[in-house]
Amino acid sequence: MTGKISPLFTFVAILIICVINIEANPAIATGYDPLEVCIENCAQCKKMLGAWFEGHLCAESCLEMKGKRIPECENFASIAPFINRL
């Protein structure tokens, strides 16, 4: 019995691999809403930058542009219009 792989073990291993592959679909393969991503990024930037970031202006921009310009919190050029000087 030592050194042999049982058929049950092989079946279970294959089953686990199949289940993992089925549930591991990337967001792009299932589709994503750029407007949703834009607004989520605005919220993330607000959490990161606090009072320095005008989250409501960012979200309004997302709605006006329909998610075409997604802000990236670490890219100053994309969030510059929403930074206030306090």
Side-chain angles (χ1 to χ4, degrees):
M1 188 102 188
T2 60
K4 292 185 178 182
I5 298 176
S6 73
L8 180 61
F9 176 79
T10 305
F11 175 74
V12 171
I14 291 172
L15 183 63
I16 290 172
I17 290 170
C18 290
V19 169
I20 290 172
N21 286 336
I22 290 171
E23 294 180 6
N25 292 331
I28 292 174
T30 59
Y32 70 98
D33 181 13
L35 179 60
E36 182 180 341
V37 172
C38 185
I39 292 175
E40 286 177 1
N41 281 14
C42 290
Q44 182 64 34
C45 293
K46 181 65 177 176
K47 287 179 185 176
M48 288 176 63
L49 301 171
W52 293 97
F53 189 77
E54 298 288 346
H56 65 284
L57 294 178
C58 181
E60 287 174 8
S61 173
C62 289
L63 293 173
E64 289 173 11
M65 304 277 297
K66 298 179 182 167
K68 292 180 183 170
R69 288 186 45 198
I70 297 175
E72 296 293 332
C73 304
E74 295 177 356
N75 179 353
F76 184 75
S78 72
I79 62 169
F82 315 117
I83 300 291
N84 74 34
R85 296 184 182 111
L86 287 179

